[in-house]
Amino acid sequence: MVEELVTAGVALASVGAVYVVAAARVVKQYERGVVLRLGRLASEVRGPGFTMIVPGVDRMRKVNMQIVTMPVPAQEGITRDNVTVRVDAVVYFKVVDAADAVIRVEDYRFAVSQMAQTSLRSIIGKSELDDLLSNREKLNQGLELMMDSPAIGWGVTVDRVEIKDVSLPETMKRSMARQAEATRDRRARVINADAELQASKKLAEAAEAMSDQPAALQLRLLQTVVAVAAEKNSTLVLPFPVELLRFLERSGLQAQAQTAAAEAERGAAQPPGGPAAKPGSSRSRAAVETGEGGPLPPELEDLPEAEELP
């Protein structure tokens, strides 16, 4: 009798252990458990921790409540200004209602992925190329609104959508490069023209100042010669302006006038007769006749006069 009771107890304990093992479930902190009892949704969603279900009757499905990062495959489309582009993006979403995510949609991950691709193609067709390249924040907000509206009914909310890259054809890249180069060239020409205008105004002021002082033009010319000579060129071409030639001509005339005045002053200071000459000498006679003065050289003083020669 005792043996039968022991055997029954052991069998009952074994059945209880098997039941507990089959009914026990552990839900993690970032998960929620949705229980379907005989195909119908149970009244409550199981929270994190240890929980029990009825084996064979209940079926529990765990739903991840973390934020999911899903890359959207690159979609090729034509923009509103007829440019073919390839755009890829990334979607951040999470489940806010585990029961709706299980009941209302078959696979919420696949549904969000397909909706993201469709919304991305729609955004490409409604936008221009410049918006895709420079105004991505607005496009990201538009994508988020387009995806969030139907996703709320699935128990899913879209936190953020980001466009990662926009691929352009090679011909469009070259066209954009030429456009950027032309824009840079235009800006350079405008800046150069502005610099020329300012320089012309300054040169006009400098010319007006030099016209009052002609010597300033000569100094400026000498500075130019020094600047050119500093480069150690083998050939130096130096233009002479007409003003420089006139200045040199006036300087020469002034120098001649000063020399003539000085000679006139020295002639006025010298005695009219000059130094005495020997009487009867041919030198003195020639000096008297020609009006020249001054003593004879020593080797010519002892020469006989012209009348004494045979």
Side-chain angles (χ1 to χ4, degrees):
M1 185 67 182
V2 176
E3 293 180 356
E4 294 179 356
L5 292 176
V6 171
T7 304
V10 170
L12 185 60
S14 300
V15 172
V18 172
Y19 178 81
V20 170
V21 170
R25 295 289 186 274
V26 176
V27 181
K28 298 179 181 179
Q29 182 65 38
Y30 55 85
E31 294 177 341
R32 297 296 182 269
V34 179
V35 179
L36 298 176
R37 182 165 296 168
L38 297 177
R40 298 186 64 180
L41 179 66
S43 59
E44 60 181 7
V45 177
R46 307 295 175 90
F50 180 80
T51 184
M52 297 286 292
I53 62 174
V54 179
V57 176
D58 294 344
R59 181 183 176 185
M60 188 174 70
R61 183 174 175 181
K62 299 178 182 179
V63 180
N64 192 341
M65 305 296 290
Q66 292 176 316
I67 295 177
V68 180
T69 303
M70 176 180 294
V72 181
Q75 302 296 312
E76 185 173 355
I78 300 176
T79 60
R80 193 166 60 181
D81 50 354
N82 298 324
V83 179
T84 303
V85 295
R86 288 178 60 89
V87 182
D88 56 352
V90 60
V91 180
Y92 302 90
F93 68 95
K94 64 180 179 180
V95 177
V96 294
D97 192 337
D100 289 342
V102 173
I103 300 301
R104 292 180 177 270
V105 62
E106 180 181 3
D107 186 352
Y108 67 90
R109 288 176 178 265
F110 181 75
V112 171
S113 175
Q114 295 299 315
M115 182 178 57
Q117 296 180 30
T118 306
S119 301
L120 185 58
R121 283 178 174 271
S122 178
I123 285 293
I124 293 174
K126 295 179 180 179
S127 306
E128 295 183 356
L129 180 61
D130 293 339
D131 295 334
L132 290 175
L133 296 177
S134 60
N135 197 11
R136 293 189 180 181
E137 291 296 331
K138 183 178 180 180
L139 298 181
N140 293 338
Q141 294 177 1
L143 276 173
E144 182 178 348
L145 291 176
M146 292 178 64
M147 295 179 59
D148 196 30
S149 299
I152 291 178
W154 305 338
V156 177
T157 180
V158 177
D159 286 346
R160 194 171 183 180
V161 182
E162 294 286 344
I163 295 177
K164 293 197 300 183
D165 189 22
V166 178
S167 300
L168 300 175
E170 293 296 330
T171 55
M172 181 56 63
K173 291 181 180 179
R174 289 194 294 268
S175 299
M176 294 178 65
R178 288 195 299 268
Q179 179 183 1
E181 184 178 358
T183 303
R184 294 287 181 179
D185 190 17
R186 178 179 61 83
R187 292 174 58 184
R189 290 177 182 272
V190 170
I191 294 174
N192 190 16
D194 192 10
E196 292 291 340
L197 177 60
Q198 296 180 7
S200 63
K201 292 181 179 178
K202 295 298 181 182
L203 288 175
E205 295 177 1
E208 183 179 359
M210 288 183 180
S211 62
D212 298 335
Q213 297 293 334
L217 181 61
Q218 314 307 321
L219 295 177
R220 186 70 186 92
L221 179 61
L222 294 177
Q223 291 178 357
T224 304
V225 173
V226 172
V228 174
E231 298 180 0
K232 298 180 181 180
N233 293 328
S234 59
T235 303
L236 178 61
V237 178
L238 180 62
F240 282 91
V242 178
E243 289 80 2
L244 178 59
L245 298 178
R246 292 176 180 173
F247 174 77
L248 296 177
E249 183 180 0
R250 288 195 299 268
S251 299
L253 294 176
Q254 291 177 1
Q256 291 179 3
Q258 293 177 359
T259 303
E263 290 179 354
E265 291 178 359
R266 286 198 301 269
Q270 186 177 0
K278 290 183 179 181
S281 64
S282 61
R283 175 68 178 175
S284 60
R285 288 195 298 272
V288 171
E289 293 176 358
T290 58
E292 295 178 357
L296 294 174
E299 60 272 11
L300 299 179
E301 290 180 355
D302 297 334
L303 293 177
E305 297 182 0
E307 292 81 357
E308 298 177 358
L309 292 177

